[in-house]
Amino acid sequence: MNILKRQKTLIVLALLGIIGGCNKGEQESASSPVNVAVWQAGLPDHTKDPLNYIGTVTAGKAIDLSFQVSGTVTSFPVLEGQYVTKGQLIAAVDETVYQTQYQAQAAQLRLAKENYERISEVFRKGSIAEIRMLEARSQYEQADAAARATYQNVAHTKIHAPVSGYIGAKLLDAGATAGPGVTIAKLLDISSVNVDVPVPEAEIGKYPKGTQATVRIAALQNRALKGIVDQTAAIATAGSPNYTVKIKLPNADRSVKPGMACNVFFSNKLKTTAGQATNNLVIPIEAVQVDEQGKRFVYVADTLANKAARKQVTVGNLSNDGIAITSGLSGNEKIITSGIHKITDSTSINIVNP
């Protein structure tokens, strides 16, 4: 009987030893670091990128100047390439015919005014019907409108510069006949200029409005100028798979001229609505996870503690380089890209790649 009890005791102790050994193994497994691979975050330096684009400078504003009346050009005192100020006379046509028409209309206006005043006086005395006074007033108002319209023809015989700028082209000379709406000169406002850059369709999504760009112009000793993407074409250039990206470039000293060729380097810094630059960090898409509440997060490696740290992030556009992170990261973290499904916040890790 004692032997049987001793055997049962040994069996129980053996089972307890097995269970204890299992628990000890599980504890050792739980405390073992998880092997992970990391990706070093960092903003790409586009100034070192050998890829650049060739652009062409165009005027910030190009205005076609034309007369609203026809006539012989009597004066065209500006030269092609000349700088003109706002309000300066550009050209004039013979106003003789229009002056004569205005004088005739002015005479009709004076007569209609005198007639209206005389009949109004008689009407106030009660010696004439109201309809006669109303007819006289209508004739006066019609004559006034006709005189004003004719005077506008006289005013339109001269063209004055609507803004300050350069005469980009002069298409007529004094003595030629100008027609209504026919361009006689092009006025270029270059207080700010545009740089038109053809970009392949595969890369057009990388440069949305607000992207910063560095423009270098050989004609200006390769000086670096800072600009902002202002427009992106919605359709490709005819006969080409390229889309035109338009960069707005300040030009207060007017040193940049339309037609200049330039090299353009794009940055990944965007301007926010407040006008401040913000870094647009791009990381591998597999590093971004989504929790049960739909919030996105990544794990970063704490190299001092050898642990994983969870960080909530806000994502932006997806590109060939990865997915943009607009907030949540400082830009110098080691992002965990593999082994993600084996870790949680504060899990011990072992980085297996350099």
Side-chain angles (χ1 to χ4, degrees):
M1 188 71 179
N2 291 333
I3 295 174
L4 182 61
K5 288 182 178 180
R6 190 179 301 113
Q7 289 177 343
K8 289 181 177 180
T9 301
L10 291 174
I11 292 172
V12 171
L13 291 174
L15 290 173
L16 290 174
I18 292 172
I19 294 172
C22 291
N23 289 338
K24 181 179 180 181
E26 289 177 0
Q27 291 172 359
E28 289 178 352
S29 175
S31 61
S32 298
V34 177
N35 292 334
V36 298
V38 298
W39 178 86
Q40 178 63 57
L43 298 175
D45 187 355
H46 287 273
T47 60
K48 297 180 180 178
D49 190 344
L51 179 63
N52 66 84
Y53 300 88
I54 305 300
T56 304
V57 178
T58 61
K61 185 185 295 183
I63 304 172
D64 290 338
L65 301 178
S66 61
F67 288 103
Q68 295 187 33
V69 296
S70 60
T72 302
V73 179
T74 58
S75 177
F76 209 152
V78 297
L79 301 174
E80 193 167 309
Q82 178 181 338
Y83 181 77
V84 297
T85 57
K86 182 177 180 180
Q88 183 174 336
L89 177 67
I90 303 297
V93 296
D94 188 0
E95 64 177 19
T96 304
V97 174
Y98 303 107
Q99 280 285 8
T100 302
Q101 292 175 351
Y102 172 67
Q103 290 171 5
Q105 292 291 344
Q108 291 292 330
L109 174 60
R110 288 192 296 271
L111 179 61
K113 181 179 180 181
E114 292 173 358
N115 184 53
Y116 171 60
E117 291 174 347
R118 180 176 55 82
I119 292 179
S120 295
E121 183 65 25
V122 175
F123 172 72
R124 281 193 292 271
K125 295 178 180 179
S127 302
I128 196 174
E130 182 181 7
I131 188 62
R132 293 288 304 278
M133 184 274 296
L134 295 176
E135 289 175 350
R137 186 172 67 183
S138 176
Q139 291 172 358
Y140 168 57
E141 291 174 347
Q142 290 177 26
D144 181 59
R148 290 175 181 272
T150 306
Y151 180 76
Q152 288 301 311
N153 289 337
V154 177
H156 290 154
T157 59
K158 294 180 175 63
I159 296 178
H160 296 87
V163 296
S164 297
Y166 288 88
I167 301 299
K170 185 177 177 180
L171 306 178
L172 285 181
D173 288 312
T177 300
V182 178
T183 301
I184 66 160
K186 291 182 179 292
L187 179 62
L188 307 179
D189 179 4
I190 62 171
S191 55
S192 68
V193 295
N194 297 321
V195 178
D196 292 346
V197 184
V199 175
E201 59 181 341
E203 302 170 19
I204 191 65
K206 295 182 180 180
Y207 313 120
K209 182 175 180 179
T211 302
Q212 294 185 359
T214 300
V215 178
R216 294 186 179 274
I217 302 175
L220 301 178
Q221 291 75 48
N222 223 27
R223 181 168 49 133
L225 304 171
K226 300 297 183 181
I228 298 292
V229 173
D230 185 54
Q231 296 178 26
T232 300
I235 58 175
T237 305
S240 169
N242 295 330
Y243 290 74
T244 299
V245 172
K246 194 177 292 291
I247 300 169
K248 183 172 289 295
L249 201 66
N251 189 32
D253 61 356
R254 301 185 181 88
S255 60
V256 182
K257 308 292 185 184
M260 287 182 171
C262 53
N263 291 321
V264 178
F265 302 84
F266 288 102
S267 169
N268 62 347
K269 291 182 179 179
L270 302 179
K271 272 199 170 181
T272 64
T273 53
Q276 298 177 342
T278 178
N279 291 332
N280 189 23
L281 177 66
V282 178
I283 69 172
I285 188 172
E286 62 269 20
V288 180
Q289 305 296 307
V290 182
D291 63 16
E292 62 277 3
Q293 297 179 343
K295 296 180 179 179
R296 292 172 173 81
F297 65 92
V298 299
Y299 286 112
V300 300
D302 182 347
T303 55
L304 295 178
N306 290 325
K307 293 182 179 295
R310 174 170 166 167
K311 288 196 172 185
Q312 186 172 323
V313 297
T314 304
V315 302
N317 295 328
L318 182 65
S319 68
N320 293 334
D321 299 326
I323 190 166
I325 302 298
T326 58
S327 67
L329 297 176
S330 63
N332 58 0
E333 295 92 344
K334 290 183 181 294
I335 310 297
I336 297 176
T337 57
S338 72
I340 298 173
H341 299 295
K342 300 178 182 179
I343 61 177
T344 60
D345 193 25
S346 298
T347 297
S348 297
I349 57 172
N350 177 43
I351 300 175
V352 296
N353 63 325

